[in-house]
Amino acid sequence: ETGVTQSPTHLIKTRGQQVTLRCSSQSGHNTVSWYQQALGQGPQFIFQYYREEENGRGNFPPRFSGLQFPNYSSELNVNALELDDSALYLCASSFGRGKGTDTQYFGPGTRLTVL
Amino acid sequence: AQSVAQPEDQVNVAEGNPLTVKCTYSVSGNPYLFWYVQYPNRGLQFLLKYITGDNLVKGSYGFEAEFNKSQTSFHLKKPSALVSDSALYFCAVRDRADDKIIFGKGTRLHILP
């Protein structure tokens, strides 16, 4: 069984740039959720994709967008980067609609630094 | 609105002693509750979850958690701490009504040799 993987591990960008982060879900999982974890904070829910459709969204602006592919891998795109976007971005996969009792399994994260 | 509180930023426990990491929650309906652990430069690892039934939930690595509805708490426990338990622990709650999952700010656990 393959776990959740994310790429890249680290990324440095400047304000105003755009970034794409990638996530491969655990084998057999069809739901991917993205979280932002600022330093010293718990993860904050960005959005979730189930079978290629957005299936819930947290309080993040539209410049945070995503995709899920037929193989259930996913991308997180952030446009017009701001300094406050510097954080660890976590991807989690689960089986089911990502609701209720579903357990989410997390990848190692991508550390984004915005200068 | 749902919320999770982890009132201790840090907990220090001597190796071999029992440990408790506290979590309280607030939801409008019945909760699903989760504990995750995060090691340095790693993602979150699932420890255990409460869905329904027995209030004492057993999980990975010898951890357990007790659901207390009247106190709206879900404290994480382990009878005998190991140095390797030192990590950051997150409590999370999902409201059955709207399915959003909310994480606490985390508690850093230090097990002293």
Side-chain angles (χ1 to χ4, degrees):
Chain A
E1 185 178 89
T2 306
V4 180
T5 60
Q6 293 186 241
S7 64
T9 307
H10 296 88
L11 205 49
I12 298 175
K13 292 284 189 180
T14 56
R15 272 186 305 176
Q17 286 189 310
Q18 179 266 342
V19 68
T20 297
L21 310 182
R22 294 178 175 83
C23 170
S24 291
S25 58
Q26 185 167 311
S27 176
H29 287 181
N30 54 14
T31 299
V32 171
S33 304
W34 285 93
Y35 293 85
Q36 180 194 67
Q37 186 180 12
L39 204 59
Q41 301 294 319
Q44 300 274 322
F45 175 68
I46 302 174
F47 45 57
Q48 181 179 85
Y49 280 82
Y50 169 68
R51 293 187 175 182
E52 303 177 60
E53 300 275 336
E54 190 178 288
N55 187 38
R57 190 178 181 93
N59 295 325
F60 280 81
R63 60 189 184 85
F64 286 78
S65 63
L67 282 174
Q68 188 179 31
F69 300 100
N71 66 355
Y72 303 128
S73 66
S74 178
E75 287 183 354
L76 164 65
N77 299 291
V78 187
N79 294 323
L81 283 167
E82 301 177 359
L83 296 180
D84 285 349
D85 295 334
S86 295
L88 181 68
Y89 286 85
L90 296 166
C91 166
S93 75
S94 57
F95 178 76
R97 293 180 61 86
K99 308 289 188 183
T101 62
D102 295 349
T103 298
Q104 297 185 349
Y105 294 89
F106 284 79
T110 294
R111 173 75 61 188
L112 173 65
T113 302
V114 182
L115 302 176
Chain B
Q2 63 194 64
S3 64
V4 176
Q6 293 182 243
E8 301 152 319
D9 290 336
Q10 182 169 308
V11 172
N12 297 320
V13 176
E15 187 177 24
N17 282 1
L19 70 87
T20 299
V21 183
K22 295 179 181 177
C23 172
T24 58
Y25 65 90
S26 174
V27 297
S28 56
N30 292 314
Y32 297 125
L33 295 155
F34 302 82
W35 275 102
Y36 284 85
V37 59
Q38 187 175 36
Y39 295 99
N41 301 314
R42 302 280 295 276
L44 276 66
Q45 293 181 31
F46 171 73
L47 283 178
L48 51 80
K49 65 182 177 184
Y50 171 79
I51 304 302
T52 188
D54 195 347
N55 289 342
L56 186 63
V57 180
K58 294 191 183 294
S60 306
Y61 313 119
F63 283 94
E64 57 189 30
E66 186 169 11
F67 171 64
N68 187 318
K69 188 172 183 178
S70 62
Q71 296 186 1
T72 61
S73 67
F74 189 56
H75 301 331
L76 181 70
K77 300 181 180 184
K78 188 173 182 180
S80 179
L82 301 173
V83 172
S84 57
D85 293 330
S86 298
L88 188 57
Y89 289 80
F90 290 98
C91 181
V93 64
R94 176 182 275 143
D95 188 335
R96 299 183 193 197
D98 70 10
D99 286 319
K100 287 183 183 174
I101 185 165
I102 302 295
F103 283 84
K105 292 180 65 175
T107 297
R108 189 164 297 281
L109 179 62
H110 286 284
I111 307 302
L112 310 170

